[in-house]
Each structure stands twice: as C-alpha cells, then as structure tokens.
Amino acid sequence: MKFIKNRIIFYIFSLSLILASLFFIFRFGINMGIDLKGGSMLMVKFQDKRPNIESILEVLRDLNLNIICQPIEEKGIILKMKDISQQTHQEILKRLDNLSKINIETESFQSIGPTIGKELTKKTEIVIVLSVISILVYITFAFQKISKPVPSFWYAISGTLALCHDVLISVGFIVLLGKLYNVEFNIPIITALLTIFGYSINDTVVVFDRIRENLNKKTEKETFEEIIEKSIRQSFLRSFNTSFTTVLPLIFIYFLGGESLKYFALTLILGISFGTYSSLFLAPQLVFNIFKKQEKQKVLTKKIK
C-alpha cells in the first residue's frame, strides 16, 4: 500500500466520517447526563425477578419526570430524571415496591444541581482548549530541528487536526448511541475523550519523530515523499501493536465491566482506533500536502520573477 499516493482515498474516508459525525451532533444533539445538566439518579435492586423496563416506566409515567431507565446486572436498574424532592423520591420507591410485590433495595441516590452541571461543563471546555494549545506549542518546539522542508509549526497543525478528527468521530458515535440507546454524555465519557487527546497525539508524534530521524539521515537522492513513506512503514507495526494491546483489555471492560464503565471503555476503543488510523493515514499526509503547496508557491514565485 502506498500511504502518500493513496492519500486522497484516506481523506475521503475521514471526511465522510467527520460529516456523518457533524450530522449526528447537529441533528440529534448531545444527550447530556445528569452530572453535566443536573438532575437526580436513583439506583435500585429488585429482590426477585426484575420487571421489564416498559412496565417500570409505565408506573412512573404520570409523575412527568422524563425518566431514563437503564438495566444494570441481573436485578438492578438506574433511574435518571430531573431533580426531585424527597417526597417524590419516596413515591417512586413505593410504586416500584408495588410493582415488584417485594421490597426493593435502594443502592444509591444522588442529586446534582444545574449550577454544578454548568460549572463542570465550563471547566471541561477550558481543559480542552488548554490541552489543544499545549499540544500545538509542544510539537512546534519539539520539531524545531526539522524546520526544512516544512516548518515545525505545520507538524503541530497537522497533528492537532488529526487529533480533532479522532475526538469528533468518537463524539459522533456517542451521539448516535444516545439517540438509539439513550447513552448519556457524562463525566466518564469526557474523561475518555481527554485520554484520547494524550494517546492520539502520542501516536502521531512517534510517526513525526521517525520522519525527523530519517530527514537527518537522508541521502541526496531521497525525496520528502519517500522519507515520509518510509517513516510510516517503519512505524506501522509499532503503532498497530501498541493500540491492539491497549484496546484488547478495553473490549473485556466493555463486556464485563458493568454499566458505569461500559461507554467509557467504548469511547476509548473508538478514540484509540481512530487515533492509530489518523497517525498513519492522515497526519503525515497532511504534512506532505503542505510541502507540495509550498513547492508550487516557489515555482510560481520563480515564474513571476
């Protein structure tokens, strides 16, 4: 496979996924969890067989709480709803007791006000912006020694674009799952996305570092395209094996780790997988495109002179 010559195919594939993710985000919106928008969460466990979800929602329907009910393990459920009073809390427990005909066990109950949710959202936005700026500055300074034939700043831009590609596609998938299965965008998922920031850029830096090494060793006959091609091939197995061994335990966590870790693990699986893809099939190709554009500008400048 030619990584540079086939770059248009990789661009089309990535652009298709990005457009699909943007469509999901703007069409369906992000299904914010109660830890971001505020609300109450009640976790209960039935002593006998758990009633079906439709029956549970039906007995609580007239309370008008916009309840989301998620099963956990064999006999438990999590109820997520807008903020409720103690009286409403007891009424919910009473109705669930009547439905099961055996006393249920309350595992936990927590309430998060909308002010706390807004504060968490604001802090998350600040963390994301600071992370992107830090990555740009780090790569720019780390690759100063290879300012030719492409300035180090463009390595930073290419790496950051690849990073945004990974995170945006992962968010798009979560939004789609939110529409189909009521998956909520919560703190664990945000934590996973921030982890992807570090993991994805690390994978890209490894490829860039190999380009730097090969540029320092280049012969007069070697072109920049050949150096990038060789660097990607040299990094391919390392990147794939590292990602595979990371994703493998996450797959087990997704299936065996319980409801609280399920979508945290899934977000990481998506982000790491696309991060590996972008570090090999997107970021180096963007650097090469910048090089080609610079070469064309030099030719045009010579012709004008």
Side-chain angles (χ1 to χ4, degrees):
M1 179 187 290
K2 298 291 184 180
F3 292 96
I4 299 299
K5 287 185 178 178
N6 294 323
R7 65 188 182 280
I8 299 301
I9 297 173
F10 308 142
Y11 292 160
I12 292 171
F13 176 70
S14 293
L15 185 60
S16 300
L17 290 175
I18 288 171
L19 290 175
S21 297
L22 289 172
F23 172 78
F24 295 147
I25 292 168
F26 288 108
R27 177 68 178 82
F28 305 134
I30 296 175
N31 185 24
M32 293 288 188
I34 63 169
D35 44 2
L36 294 177
K37 69 179 180 182
S40 298
M41 183 173 73
L42 174 64
M43 187 185 301
V44 299
K45 184 177 181 181
F46 293 91
Q47 300 300 316
D48 200 0
K49 183 180 178 181
R50 178 179 60 208
N52 61 60
I53 301 302
E54 290 75 17
S55 300
I56 294 171
L57 291 174
E58 185 59 36
V59 298
L60 302 174
R61 195 177 304 279
D62 63 314
L63 295 175
N64 297 319
L65 298 174
N66 297 320
I67 296 174
I68 295 173
C69 182
Q70 295 176 340
I72 54 168
E73 299 178 348
E74 292 183 5
K75 297 182 179 180
I77 60 167
I78 295 177
L79 297 176
K80 297 178 180 180
M81 65 210 92
K82 63 184 182 181
D83 201 21
I84 60 174
S85 63
Q86 187 61 32
Q87 183 180 353
T88 305
H89 174 205
Q90 294 303 320
E91 178 64 22
I92 291 171
L93 294 178
K94 180 181 176 182
R95 294 189 184 195
L96 293 177
D97 275 337
N98 293 336
L99 180 63
S100 65
K101 298 179 182 177
I102 300 175
N103 287 342
I104 60 172
E105 181 182 343
T106 302
E107 299 277 303
S108 68
F109 175 73
Q110 52 184 303
S111 182
I112 299 175
T115 303
I116 297 175
K118 287 179 181 178
E119 185 179 344
L120 287 171
T121 304
K122 187 176 180 180
K123 286 183 177 179
T124 301
E125 291 171 354
I126 293 171
V127 168
I128 290 171
V129 171
L130 290 176
S131 298
V132 171
I133 293 172
S134 300
I135 289 166
L136 280 168
V137 172
Y138 165 71
I139 297 179
T140 300
F141 281 96
F143 289 87
Q144 272 184 320
K145 292 184 179 180
I146 53 168
S147 57
K148 293 181 180 181
V150 176
S152 60
F153 178 73
W154 288 111
Y155 285 88
I157 294 294
S158 300
T160 305
L161 287 174
L163 171 61
C164 294
H165 159 278
D166 307 335
V167 173
L168 182 59
I169 293 173
S170 300
V171 171
F173 270 92
I174 297 300
V175 168
L176 179 61
L177 292 174
K179 175 64 177 178
L180 298 177
Y181 304 108
N182 280 324
V183 176
E184 293 184 331
F185 202 85
N186 52 25
I187 293 298
I189 287 178
I190 289 175
T191 304
L193 291 173
L194 291 174
T195 305
I196 292 167
F197 264 71
Y199 192 97
S200 176
I201 204 67
N202 174 69
D203 222 13
T204 303
V205 166
V206 167
V207 180
F208 285 171
D209 202 45
R210 187 53 61 94
I211 294 173
R212 174 170 59 182
E213 290 176 6
N214 288 328
L215 278 171
N216 291 331
K217 300 175 185 176
K218 78 181 287 290
T219 62
E220 291 183 4
K221 293 182 179 180
E222 279 187 305
T223 64
F224 191 51
E225 179 179 348
E226 289 170 340
I227 287 172
I228 294 180
E229 187 78 28
K230 181 170 69 174
S231 301
I232 296 172
R233 292 185 184 281
Q234 290 172 344
S235 306
F236 189 90
L237 276 179
R238 181 265 179 202
S239 293
F240 177 81
N241 289 335
T242 303
S243 298
F244 179 73
T245 53
T246 306
V247 165
L248 199 59
L250 288 171
I251 292 172
F252 291 118
I253 292 173
Y254 175 78
F255 287 107
L256 304 173
E259 193 69 26
S260 60
L261 291 174
K262 186 174 183 178
Y263 294 107
F264 167 79
L266 179 60
T267 306
L268 281 176
I269 291 169
L270 290 169
I272 290 170
S273 301
F274 284 113
T276 303
Y277 165 80
S278 68
S279 67
L280 296 168
F281 297 92
L282 191 61
Q285 286 77 357
L286 288 172
V287 171
F288 181 74
N289 268 97
I290 293 163
F291 165 74
K292 292 292 286 183
K293 187 176 181 180
Q294 286 181 345
E295 291 299 298
K296 285 181 180 178
Q297 286 177 341
K298 287 179 183 178
V299 172
L300 286 173
T301 304
K302 286 181 180 179
K303 285 182 179 179
I304 292 170
K305 289 181 178 179

